[in-house]
Amino acid sequence: MLGQDSRAASRVAPGADAVRGIRLTRGKEGRLTAYAPAEGGIRRWTESRPGSLVWEPPVLLPVPGLSDLTVTQDANSYVHLVGRRERRTADRRTTVDVVYAIQYQSGRAVTEWRSLGNPHKDPQDAAALGVPAVVVTGTGMVHVFVRKADGGLTLRRERSDGKWRGWEDRKGVTGVEGGLAGIALSSGRMELFATTTEGTLHWFQKEPGGVLGDGYPARLAVARDTLAVLETGPDRPTFYWTDPGGRGVVAYRAGGWPMALGGAPGEGPHTAVRTFLDGYDCTVLAHRGAEGTAVVGVGVTEDEGNGMWWSDTGLRCLAAPALAQDVFGRLVVAVVGEDGVPKVARQTDEPGLTLSEWRTL
């Protein structure tokens, strides 16, 4: 553990909310990295070696004005960081843009932050830009989706030569609200899911590199800013959210019916990961519960109808937990505690999913 002075340096930005919670990734060489918002940018912690209980001291990745952060990895395990940034001008106006950087290796510097701009010219509309979602396909092409001020959807993506196209509006899309859930599947296809004032919209490619198509509408009830997605079968994603009617967590796969999984989630998104427990392919879900504590649920992958087993860790947190597997396949849970300091717990050798004591980063 770090000393008192180091712990103070480890605290995340005050007022961190569910959208800005901690993130976990595992690099190609097996080391875990945690990212969390901090004053002046992003605070990053990296395992000293793969699977270690010791983490290196935190490093600040400077990006002043960052209001929201999205983190994803591509097929090469490169970490793509996309954020929404707010800055004050000399005349006290607020400017908003989307920024982007890559980390190629655990513990190493990220590339220079690049501004992708803002699709709005009007300052008032620009300030209402949503939180970006990033999807990186198997070919390495980066797609950044973001909700517009009027409830529309727009996209910026890389060209094959590495240069970026301009903003591309998705024609006819209205009423989008809250965060987006996008995924690059193992087949190379991409899917995107959004909540709207009328229900949901679901975009998908029929083949890798194909047209994303029009958003398929459905009158599904989804609590705002609670979406998550996980590939639970070959080329098959499952979307998770909180039911606004009080049925807890919901799982949905295209062509099927939404399934109520129970639990008592509070505000904020869910986190999902697959892992093997006692020889079974299981899905682990995590969220900040209604009582403000980190809650973890376990069920057999794509057999949610036979039950999810929910466990309240009892640790109060500021935002949704993050989940990842370490190099030995052990599940790791990371949270930002009420004191603003990140903490991690790791799966033990006991049967089922038993977590160790929380350790402060």
Side-chain angles (χ1 to χ4, degrees):
M1 293 188 183
L2 301 176
Q4 185 63 38
D5 291 343
S6 297
R7 277 223 309 270
S10 297
R11 289 192 176 91
V12 303
D17 56 29
V19 176
R20 301 178 62 202
I22 195 167
R23 313 291 197 261
L24 274 179
T25 64
R26 191 179 76 199
K28 196 167 188 177
E29 79 289 357
R31 289 198 292 168
L32 293 178
T33 302
Y35 307 84
E39 292 290 345
I42 303 165
R43 195 77 68 185
R44 184 187 72 188
W45 297 259
T46 306
E47 283 186 312
S48 60
R49 62 180 186 278
S52 170
L53 299 180
V54 178
W55 295 66
E56 296 178 352
V59 173
L60 180 67
L61 307 179
V63 51
L66 190 73
S67 64
D68 297 276
L69 174 67
T70 301
V71 179
T72 194
Q73 287 182 278
D74 62 23
N76 293 314
S77 297
Y78 300 157
V79 178
H80 298 257
L81 307 163
V82 178
R84 181 183 182 277
R85 180 171 62 179
E86 297 183 0
R87 293 177 293 176
R88 297 295 294 272
T89 62
D91 57 0
R92 296 191 175 184
R93 290 186 299 109
T94 299
T95 62
V96 174
D97 66 345
V98 176
V99 291
Y100 170 71
I102 305 176
Q103 178 181 293
Y104 290 106
Q105 189 174 352
S106 300
R108 304 298 291 270
V110 302
T111 61
E112 182 178 355
W113 287 90
R114 175 188 181 129
S115 175
L116 300 183
N118 190 312
H120 296 293
K121 302 300 182 183
D122 179 77
Q124 187 172 353
D125 288 340
L129 191 71
V131 178
V134 58
V135 179
V136 187
T137 61
T139 61
M141 182 173 289
V142 183
H143 300 71
V144 176
F145 298 91
V146 65
R147 174 186 55 80
K148 296 180 65 178
D150 60 0
L153 183 70
T154 190
L155 159 71
R156 279 205 76 174
R157 52 181 170 160
E158 277 187 311
R159 300 190 316 201
S160 57
D161 61 3
K163 296 182 179 180
W164 286 79
R165 301 173 185 263
W167 290 103
E168 307 168 38
D169 283 357
R170 303 295 299 177
K171 301 299 183 182
V173 177
T174 61
V176 175
E177 52 182 17
L180 310 167
I183 188 171
L185 299 164
S186 57
S187 65
R189 290 194 314 108
M190 176 175 60
E191 298 200 13
L192 182 73
F193 205 86
T195 57
T196 72
T197 53
E198 300 295 328
T200 61
L201 286 172
H202 183 192
W203 295 265
F204 55 88
Q205 293 174 317
K206 292 183 178 180
E207 57 187 19
V211 177
L212 190 58
D214 296 328
Y216 179 82
R219 291 189 174 274
L220 301 174
V222 179
R224 181 173 175 168
D225 290 326
T226 64
L227 287 173
V229 61
L230 177 70
E231 185 170 8
T232 55
D235 196 36
R236 186 168 55 250
T238 298
F239 296 90
Y240 303 93
W241 62 73
T242 298
D243 174 55
R247 295 193 304 161
V249 185
V250 173
Y252 171 76
R253 285 182 286 278
W257 294 98
M259 294 170 286
L261 306 183
E267 296 181 355
H270 299 272
T271 311
V273 71
R274 284 173 67 179
T275 188
F276 277 90
L277 298 173
D278 301 331
Y280 292 95
D281 179 356
C282 292
T283 294
V284 180
L285 300 175
H287 56 252
R288 184 175 184 264
E291 300 300 320
T293 53
V295 176
V296 177
V298 179
V300 177
T301 299
E302 294 201 345
D303 194 21
E304 306 93 339
N306 281 326
M308 289 286 295
W309 287 264
W310 296 100
S311 177
D312 191 330
T313 67
L315 179 66
R316 299 189 66 82
C317 53
L318 294 178
L323 300 172
Q325 284 182 298
D326 72 8
V327 70
F328 300 115
R330 298 174 300 190
L331 185 76
V332 177
V333 184
V335 300
V336 177
E338 277 195 317
D339 56 0
V341 177
K343 300 172 175 62
V344 295
R346 201 173 301 245
Q347 180 183 354
T348 69
D349 294 331
E350 297 181 28
L353 179 56
T354 303
L355 297 176
S356 67
E357 295 293 324
W358 294 98
R359 298 175 63 90
T360 298
L361 292 184

